[in-house]
């Protein structure tokens, strides 16, 4: 799965995570490492390649590691915003959509936490103009936007009797214009 994603969205000098708009998923690192350990353990046994669902095997079965739980990565306010104190490969791992879809289909759980590649105006990005208005355009890196704004849309209709109720939570990129959000809706 990861090889297919690398071929579809190759790394370039401009982006290690693919072109703008590429979607990635965040998963709890502790759960992911447990899954890798169990899969490696089972792959060295006679049960490799078998469907072990519903069979009474020991705790080394990939089916026994439980549902994916990403709730520990999220803020307590009920949004899909990540906590500010988490670190890559310590608290979370980044997966391509196909890998996330497979794991989610096999183990259920979640919630799914998706993030998008956006232009990143870090050090050295932008234009070097020397203060004269003429300059050379430098490369802009693309990176995964881990901390977008989240907008909660409220619905007010006849079933809610005029009371606004939360309808949908939508990520709003810090770098994309508001019109992009309106098109997405």
């Amino acid at each position: 799965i990861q090889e297919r994603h690398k071929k579809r969205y190759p790394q370039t000098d401009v982006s290690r995570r693919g072109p703008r708009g590429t979607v990635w998923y965040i998963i709890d690192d502790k759960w992911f490492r447990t899954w890798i350990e169990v899969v490696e353990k089972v792959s060295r046994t006679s049960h490799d390649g078998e469907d072990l669902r519903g069979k009474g095997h020991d705790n080394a079965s990939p089916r026994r590691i439980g549902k994916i739980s990403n709730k520990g990565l999220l803020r307590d306010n009920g949004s899909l915003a990540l906590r500010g104190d988490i670190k890559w490969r310590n608290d979370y791992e980044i997966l391509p959509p196909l890998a996330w879809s497979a794991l989610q289909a096999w183990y259920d759980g979640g919630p799914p936490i998706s993030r998008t590649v956006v232009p990143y105006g870090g050090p050295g990005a932008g234009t070097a103009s020397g203060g004269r208005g003429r300059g050379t355009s430098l490369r802009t890196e693309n990176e995964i936007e881990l901390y977008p704004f989240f907008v909660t849309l409220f619905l007010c209709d006849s079933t809610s009797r005029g009371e606004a109720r939360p309808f949908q939570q939508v990520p709003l990129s810090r770098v994309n214009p508001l019109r992009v959000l309106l098109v997405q809706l």
Side-chain angles (χ1 to χ4, degrees), residues 23-179:
V23 176
W24 293 85
Y25 283 83
I26 309 295
I27 191 167
D28 183 81
D29 191 63
K30 183 178 177 186
W31 187 93
F32 189 65
R33 285 179 195 252
T34 302
W35 178 77
I36 288 173
E37 288 172 12
V38 170
V39 167
E40 286 175 350
K41 189 175 182 182
V42 169
S43 68
R44 292 187 292 261
T45 68
S46 62
H47 301 296
D48 187 20
E50 287 184 33
D51 184 2
L52 301 175
R53 285 179 284 196
K55 297 184 180 176
H57 290 284
D58 62 2
N59 288 338
S61 168
R63 298 286 174 197
R64 300 207 185 273
I65 64 172
K67 292 182 177 183
I68 299 169
S69 179
N70 288 333
K71 291 180 182 175
L73 301 173
L74 302 175
R75 291 188 183 163
D76 293 332
N77 62 3
S79 75
L80 290 175
L82 294 173
R83 289 187 357 239
D85 62 337
I86 61 173
K87 295 187 183 342
W88 180 44
R89 295 201 168 147
N90 188 37
D91 299 303
Y92 69 93
E93 188 56 60
I94 300 171
L95 299 177
L98 291 174
W100 166 258
S101 295
L103 290 172
Q104 213 277 329
W106 295 333
Y107 298 100
D108 201 16
I113 306 170
S114 64
R115 295 296 186 263
T116 306
V117 173
V118 297
Y120 169 72
T127 19
S129 64
R132 296 197 179 137
R134 293 183 317 200
T136 1
S137 180
L138 299 177
R139 261 186 250 172
T140 302
E141 288 265 342
N142 294 331
E143 278 298 329
I144 298 172
E145 185 175 31
L146 292 175
Y147 298 98
F149 294 118
F150 281 90
V151 176
T152 303
L153 302 177
F154 287 84
L155 182 64
C156 187
D157 60 3
S158 61
T159 60
S160 65
R161 296 188 179 128
E163 293 291 321
R165 58 188 165 102
F167 172 65
Q168 184 178 7
Q169 191 178 88
V170 181
L172 179 62
S173 174
R174 296 171 189 267
V175 297
N176 288 337
L178 189 57
R179 72 176 179 271

